[in-house]
Amino acid sequence: MQKIKVFIILMVIILFFGGILFFSFWSKRIPSNPSGTIGNTAGNLINNGLFCESDGKVYFSNPYDQDTIYSMNSDETEIKKISTVGAQSINAAGNFLYYYQKSAGSGSGLGYVMHTVGLYRSKTDGSSVACLKRDPTGIITLINNDLYYQHYTNKTGTYLDRMSTDKSSEETIFTSMISPASVVNGIIYYTNPDDSHYLYTYDTTTGSSSLLWPHRVWNPIYHNDYIYFMDMETDYELHRYNPYTNEEEVLTTDRIDTYNVYGDIIYYQKSSPTEPALMRMRTDGSQPETVASGIYQNINITSGYVYFNAFDQPAPLYHQSTFGPVYVEQFIP
């Protein structure tokens, strides 16, 4: 009888601690994302990924508060701070954020960490912060359950690496500075600096790459069956290319510094020594109009607003209705 009691007590203890271990494992598990998940738009990522929209929420780097991460609804309501570190290249999916931490930060409370720069993951409320790679990184793109990111070290320079979201596997994809920003159906559309900046594709499923178009392009964005790009052969005019018909169209003869595509509209910075301006037009190049005179950068777009700031001046931050009439205002979270 005494042996039975001891056995029962031991079993209870084992089950109790086993349950704790199981709960701990399950609570830290990174769930799989649905097929086709992309962490941010290509246009936002080539503009430093300072805004990211997911499931009706917008996560953004607040220039008024040391670039720390804030969240809000897509209509800019319910704004709140969720971290105390400077961030960019923000990606979101499910209950998690992935981003490049630019600074160690300071303070205490929800989401606070004291770590070096690197690739980080947290929950969307700023909790459960984890460092995935403690090195400088450039553009980060979440594709399904993998992070493709530009990884810099003093020894190697900048490579394109891949890491699973739970950090269970990682590898180098390219030993050159390849941008993973533009992704459609698991295919990365990129320009290869080692081959005259020609346009290539990389299949994330098979791991194979191929030449798509022998044309010198910069910042390609695949959007609605067209590839938009800054044309290096015509002093960075904005063009688009149809890979199905092999046809190229000139959208503007202006030299541009940066751009972003969303829906049926393009915002771009016109480069001019006398009349620089933030412009917008339809994706076919029609209806060009001036949004704001001057030199602007970091054009990030959500379903409600486009955000931007003056060149080399992170604050003030401005916004404009993405599809509404031109009416630029200062945005203060």
Side-chain angles (χ1 to χ4, degrees):
M1 189 67 178
Q2 185 65 27
K3 290 182 178 180
I4 294 175
K5 288 182 179 180
V6 171
F7 176 76
I8 292 173
I9 292 172
L10 288 173
M11 287 301 296
V12 169
I13 293 172
I14 291 171
L15 289 172
F16 176 76
F17 284 103
I20 291 176
L21 290 172
F22 177 79
F23 177 78
S24 176
F25 167 79
W26 186 260
S27 64
K28 294 179 181 179
R29 176 179 170 270
I30 308 301
S32 296
N33 294 313
S35 178
T37 295
I38 302 296
N40 202 344
T41 65
N44 285 353
L45 290 172
I46 66 174
N47 284 276
N48 285 319
L50 305 180
F51 283 74
C52 176
E53 186 170 10
S54 178
D55 297 329
K57 288 286 186 181
V58 174
Y59 305 92
F60 66 99
S61 174
N62 186 351
Y64 301 100
D65 189 12
Q66 299 181 312
D67 300 324
T68 55
I69 305 175
Y70 278 59
S71 71
M72 62 182 174
N73 295 328
S74 57
D75 62 0
E76 299 184 337
T77 59
E78 298 184 15
I79 300 175
K80 60 181 179 181
K81 182 174 181 173
I82 62 172
S83 83
T84 57
V85 296
Q88 64 184 45
S89 207
I90 302 169
N91 286 248
N95 295 321
F96 289 89
L97 298 178
Y98 306 88
Y99 54 89
Y100 173 58
Q101 180 175 302
K102 300 193 298 180
S103 60
S106 61
S108 61
L110 185 64
Y112 169 67
V113 290
M114 178 60 77
H115 286 309
T116 56
V117 300
L119 172 56
Y120 281 76
R121 180 190 68 219
S122 76
K123 288 190 176 180
T124 51
D125 63 1
S127 64
S128 302
V129 178
C131 179
L132 303 180
K133 179 63 66 174
R134 200 163 293 177
D135 286 321
T137 66
I139 293 175
I140 302 165
T141 305
L142 171 66
I143 306 173
N144 296 325
N145 300 297
D146 292 299
L147 296 161
Y148 289 79
Y149 62 102
Q150 294 173 318
H151 178 204
Y152 174 81
T153 67
N154 290 330
K155 183 178 179 180
T156 64
T158 303
Y159 286 180
L160 179 66
D161 286 359
R162 180 204 64 82
M163 177 189 294
S164 58
T165 54
D166 62 2
K167 205 181 176 181
S168 61
S169 65
E170 56 184 305
E171 62 180 329
T172 294
I173 303 298
F174 292 107
T175 56
S176 55
M177 193 173 176
I178 300 296
S179 168
S182 184
V183 184
V184 175
N185 297 326
I187 305 294
I188 297 174
Y189 294 82
Y190 69 95
T191 178
N192 189 340
D194 297 332
D195 187 17
S196 301
H197 290 279
Y198 288 168
L199 185 62
Y200 280 76
T201 62
Y202 175 78
D203 190 324
T204 60
T205 301
T206 64
S208 60
S209 61
S210 60
L211 175 66
L212 180 62
W213 189 34
H215 192 90
R216 297 175 64 227
V217 308
W218 185 247
N219 283 342
I221 296 177
Y222 193 113
H223 180 74
N224 290 346
D225 296 331
Y226 286 94
I227 297 170
Y228 296 81
F229 62 97
M230 298 164 64
D231 188 19
M232 298 177 70
E233 298 184 3
T234 59
D235 197 28
Y236 297 94
E237 294 176 354
L238 186 59
H239 294 193
R240 71 177 182 179
Y241 169 69
N242 188 323
Y244 304 102
T245 64
N246 200 38
E247 294 178 327
E248 179 184 1
E249 298 176 63
V250 178
L251 301 181
T252 178
T253 56
D254 293 330
R255 175 189 169 94
I256 72 168
D257 295 325
T258 187
Y259 76 108
N260 199 334
V261 186
Y262 194 96
D264 66 347
I265 204 161
I266 300 173
Y267 283 81
Y268 64 97
Q269 175 60 40
K270 173 184 174 181
S271 177
S272 168
T274 57
E275 298 179 319
L278 178 66
M279 306 286 294
R280 74 174 179 181
M281 63 184 170
R282 296 298 175 183
T283 49
D284 62 0
S286 64
Q287 301 178 35
E289 61 181 337
T290 299
V291 176
S293 298
I295 305 175
Y296 298 92
Q297 62 182 32
N298 296 325
I299 306 169
N300 280 241
I301 305 180
T302 69
S303 58
Y305 295 90
V306 54
Y307 301 88
F308 52 93
N309 58 272
F311 178 73
D312 214 21
Q313 297 179 37
L317 182 64
Y318 300 98
H319 69 167
Q320 149 76 44
S321 173
T322 300
F323 301 105
V326 171
Y327 188 75
V328 175
E329 295 179 305
Q330 185 176 347
F331 172 62
I332 303 177

